[in-house]
Amino acid sequence: MKNNKTMYLSVLAGSIMLASGTLSASEQERDAAIERWVDKFEHSTLSREEQIQELKWFAEAAEPFRGMEIRTVAEGLTTHKYESEVLAKAFSEITGIDITHNIIGEGDVVDTMQTQMQTGRNIYDGFVNDSDAIGTHIRYGTTINLSEAMADEWADYTNPRLDLDDFIGIQYTTGPDGDIYQLPTQQFANLYWFRYDWFTDPDLKAQFKEIYGYELGVPTNWTAYEEIAEFFTERVNKIDGEKVYGHMDYGRRDPSLGWRFHDSWLSMAGMGSKGLPFGNPVDDWGIRVDENANPVGASVSRGGATNSPASVFAMTKAVDWLHAYAPPEAAGMTFGEAGPVPAEGTIAQQIFWYTAFTADMVDPSVAVTDDEGNPKWRMAPSPTGPYWEEGMKVGYQDVGSWTFFDSTPEDRRTAAWLFGQFTTAKSVSLEKLIEGLTPIRRSDIESEKMTEMAPQLGGLVEFYRSENESWWTPSSTNVPDYPRMAPLWWKNLAPVMNRDVTPKEGLDNLAEAMDDIMKRLARADVFDKYAPVMNEERDPEYWYDKDGAPKPKLDNEMPQGTTMPYDKMMEEWQSGNSQ
């Protein structure tokens, strides 16, 4: 262990102070900081005394690193800004470790992380990196295996109250070997979003039923979603004199367009295999693995499903809905530009809406809250496509997680590990949840404070309290190199969204590009384990004749539309019987 001499002297000094029965000036300052911050962390599932005990543990564990300057990084979500502006200051005052928690773009986080992994140069001491990269972290041998570290180098620096079983996303940061590689610090899902006030309006309900023959409600399949989109865009057209739209999306050629699709869009249509969390053997990217977790291909010809009929259906609908039912400007928008649009009050529904925008939706000043600040909207389970089967994942969750590398000097990454744990500690996690609405702990979700807030959050609390929440999962361990492979999605599917190529052509190009990268990675022999072992190409019918994914084209991809009243859906959702 590095800094053994420093640690010894710190322990010796502490023993002398304890024997004398007095507190040093630094200890008095530390205790005063703890008392001051506990007052600010008003909401916690711990008692005040338990919070003080936990924060004292951080102060004492940090003694060997007092005075160090540590740099960590995360993307610009509200949650991470709270970590940067509030929690970093609290940690620094309590521990004496000077933390700079930088906020940069998500793509920049991935690029910087990739550079550190490839060069071995320490750029940041800790990264908040999406668990989508778990397949990368388990293979390269440069990411710290947290399970091993907590039992070895970090045995004395792991919070006794960490309570890994309380983390709702820990299964997504766990490798096939059962070891944990990342520690979740924020989590949000993509769900269905809609205007509850419009969907319960008697006149609109009567008009919809007369035209389509069934009730206006939360769509449970893609046919109903499309018909509701058509209804509001073309039949209703205007509400209170303002043009309204039945769908919202974005289509600009930009890295964020990739998130639109590799964040489980194809699996929502039913492209992958059954099995949670990711689909086995074919995941939500369409990548197939063998029984040893080795990727064997993305193309249908290799047993994958990236360019399968279910994927073609999903991309066809993405293109058609964007151009027919979304505002004209949506096709030229990025993720960040499109995100706030539903809050402006002209969108009836959105099939693929990130709950990270919840905080913006509950602002009393926006058009989708009433005079008392209550939401006019709700979130609900996403409708599934015609290829979806019981036992498959339904949608996506983003799980931003603390990640550490062996390129960081041991003392620096240990100090950063302490900060990572601090940002997830029960003493602060409920306050962080209230601020950013991206839950990570079951105890926080079940807290009285969340029960109190639930009516203002449009279904967020109900979603995370449901057993069915586990059907929404991140990208899988099947993806061998996320930083290299994620850009393939927007580069190959942007021409599809722009209608420069057909969905089939774009997906064929994507699948081939994914296979090419996996073949190059296999030849380069860069992985410690779970390296690609590519299948030989076969006639697609060979795979279609087998059970599961890839699936042959359905004769009817648009069956009768089906909906459910929101309140009934929530009853079933809470009972664990939805979908």
Side-chain angles (χ1 to χ4, degrees):
M1 194 73 190
K2 292 185 179 180
N3 290 325
N4 281 344
K5 183 177 180 182
T6 304
M7 293 181 200
Y8 172 77
L9 293 174
S10 297
V11 171
L12 179 62
S15 299
I16 293 171
M17 286 297 175
L18 183 62
S20 66
T22 61
L23 291 176
S24 67
S26 63
E27 287 174 317
Q28 292 176 16
E29 183 178 339
R30 175 203 70 188
D31 287 355
I34 289 172
E35 291 281 347
R36 186 167 63 252
W37 280 104
V38 165
D39 289 339
K40 294 182 180 181
F41 300 137
E42 176 186 357
H43 299 101
S44 171
T45 57
L46 300 181
S47 67
R48 192 176 194 280
E49 182 56 37
E50 288 171 333
Q51 284 180 280
I52 290 172
Q53 290 174 1
E54 183 170 61
L55 298 184
K56 279 189 175 180
W57 179 87
F58 278 103
E60 292 165 0
E63 276 298 330
F65 315 105
R66 184 173 286 273
M68 290 184 68
E69 296 181 2
I70 302 299
R71 298 176 72 243
T72 58
V73 69
E75 63 173 294
L77 296 177
T78 301
T79 294
H80 299 318
K81 291 176 182 177
Y82 179 79
E83 292 169 346
S84 177
E85 296 167 4
V86 178
L87 297 185
K89 181 179 180 182
F91 182 79
S92 296
E93 291 183 6
I94 291 168
T95 66
I97 300 172
D98 186 7
I99 288 283
T100 300
H101 191 45
N102 291 296
I103 302 299
I104 62 178
E106 180 181 11
D108 295 328
V109 172
V110 174
D111 291 343
T112 306
M113 182 188 74
Q114 185 179 30
T115 299
Q116 182 156 333
M117 292 177 70
Q118 290 177 342
T119 66
R121 179 169 60 91
N122 189 51
I123 303 172
Y124 288 105
D125 304 308
F127 289 76
V128 175
N129 168 234
D130 288 350
S131 72
D132 297 321
I134 182 64
T136 309
H137 296 310
I138 64 176
R139 288 180 168 86
Y140 273 100
T142 61
T143 302
I144 297 298
N145 180 317
L146 299 187
S147 294
E148 292 179 355
M150 287 187 285
D152 185 16
E153 65 180 88
W154 288 343
D156 295 332
Y157 301 101
T158 297
N159 180 8
R161 295 182 184 272
L162 183 58
D163 192 4
L164 290 171
D165 291 340
D166 194 39
F167 284 83
I168 61 174
I170 201 71
Q171 68 270 35
Y172 311 134
T173 63
T174 301
D177 54 7
D179 285 349
I180 298 166
Y181 288 79
Q182 299 172 278
L183 183 70
T185 189
Q186 60 84 3
Q187 192 162 331
F188 61 88
N190 69 286
L191 297 176
Y192 173 74
W193 179 96
F194 71 107
R195 286 293 297 270
Y196 181 77
D197 56 339
W198 295 353
F199 277 52
T200 54
D201 181 274
D203 292 337
L204 293 175
K205 286 173 66 68
Q207 185 181 355
F208 182 87
K209 187 168 185 179
E210 181 179 354
I211 296 170
Y212 299 99
Y214 58 97
E215 298 290 341
L216 176 60
V218 176
T220 56
N221 64 10
W222 284 24
T223 304
Y225 183 84
E226 178 171 295
E227 290 179 338
I228 293 170
E230 178 191 63
F231 174 69
F232 279 101
T233 307
E234 299 179 0
R235 308 295 186 120
V236 177
N237 197 297
K238 291 184 178 181
I239 293 178
D240 295 331
E242 190 169 14
K243 171 64 181 162
V244 299
Y245 299 91
H247 175 63
M248 184 59 204
D249 205 346
Y250 60 99
R252 182 178 171 182
R253 181 182 173 84
D254 176 83
S256 68
L257 187 62
W259 312 342
R260 177 66 175 81
F261 300 114
H262 59 62
D263 288 359
S264 303
W265 177 247
L266 306 182
S267 73
M268 288 173 61
M271 170 269 288
S273 296
K274 296 179 182 180
L276 297 177
F278 308 120
N280 185 40
V282 179
D283 72 353
D284 60 341
W285 282 40
I287 298 174
R288 189 182 195 93
V289 292
D290 62 18
E291 62 276 9
N292 298 313
N294 303 108
V296 296
S299 298
V300 171
S301 59
R302 300 181 192 273
T306 304
N307 57 337
S308 67
S311 302
V312 173
F313 171 80
M315 286 306 304
T316 299
K317 289 305 171 186
V319 175
D320 291 349
W321 293 345
L322 173 67
H323 293 282
Y325 306 125
E329 60 271 20
M333 287 183 169
T334 64
F335 171 82
E337 293 164 342
V341 172
E344 296 172 4
T346 61
I347 306 300
Q349 60 172 358
Q350 185 167 342
I351 188 173
F352 194 93
W353 178 80
Y354 288 94
T355 62
F357 292 114
T358 304
D360 299 324
M361 286 285 185
V362 299
D363 187 317
S365 66
V366 299
V368 292
T369 59
D370 64 21
D371 294 339
E372 297 178 356
N374 297 309
K376 298 178 181 179
W377 54 270
R378 299 289 188 273
M379 61 184 81
S382 313
T384 51
Y387 293 87
W388 188 87
E389 302 172 83
E390 189 74 37
M392 292 179 60
K393 66 178 289 184
V394 176
Y396 173 79
Q397 284 206 61
D398 183 290
V399 184
S401 306
W402 282 103
T403 311
F404 306 91
F405 298 102
D406 60 7
S407 52
T408 302
E410 188 175 323
D411 56 346
R412 298 188 66 82
R413 71 172 180 251
T414 302
W417 165 243
L418 287 172
F419 178 60
Q421 292 178 92
F422 183 84
T423 66
T424 69
K426 291 182 180 180
S427 290
V428 308
S429 61
L430 183 52
E431 284 288 350
K432 187 172 81 167
L433 171 55
I434 293 168
E435 182 71 20
L437 300 177
T438 56
I440 54 170
R441 288 189 174 275
R442 178 63 56 196
S443 56
D444 290 337
I445 294 164
E446 299 293 343
S447 68
E448 292 183 7
K449 183 59 179 177
M450 283 295 103
T451 299
E452 175 191 327
M453 293 178 65
Q456 281 73 50
L457 299 181
L460 181 72
V461 175
E462 290 81 355
F463 169 74
Y464 276 105
R465 286 182 174 177
S466 168
E467 293 180 4
N468 296 337
E469 172 267 335
S470 63
W471 297 349
W472 278 253
T473 71
S475 299
S476 83
T477 52
N478 294 18
V479 183
D481 193 320
Y482 184 90
R484 279 190 176 92
M485 298 180 72
L488 300 177
W489 288 76
W490 68 270
K491 291 177 180 178
N492 284 284
L493 297 183
V496 177
M497 295 302 284
N498 294 336
R499 292 177 163 171
D500 294 330
V501 302
T502 68
K504 181 68 165 63
E505 290 169 333
L507 288 164
D508 284 345
N509 294 337
L510 172 62
E512 182 179 3
M514 290 168 67
D515 282 350
D516 286 345
I517 279 191
M518 289 191 284
K519 285 187 286 186
R520 291 203 302 271
L521 291 169
R523 288 195 301 267
D525 193 24
V526 293
F527 295 131
D528 276 10
K529 50 189 174 182
Y530 311 123
V533 182
M534 303 298 286
N535 280 340
E536 293 297 324
E537 290 193 88
R538 293 176 178 264
D539 187 306
E541 292 300 325
Y542 171 83
W543 296 104
Y544 292 148
D545 287 342
K546 295 181 177 294
D547 291 336
K551 303 165 188 175
K553 189 177 189 304
L554 292 171
D555 292 333
N556 180 15
E557 294 179 315
M558 295 292 283
Q560 171 66 38
T562 55
T563 60
M564 184 178 290
Y566 174 77
D567 295 333
K568 181 180 178 182
M569 175 172 280
M570 284 298 99
E571 287 178 11
E572 294 194 4
W573 179 252
Q574 290 298 286
S575 69
N577 295 323
S578 182
Q579 289 293 343

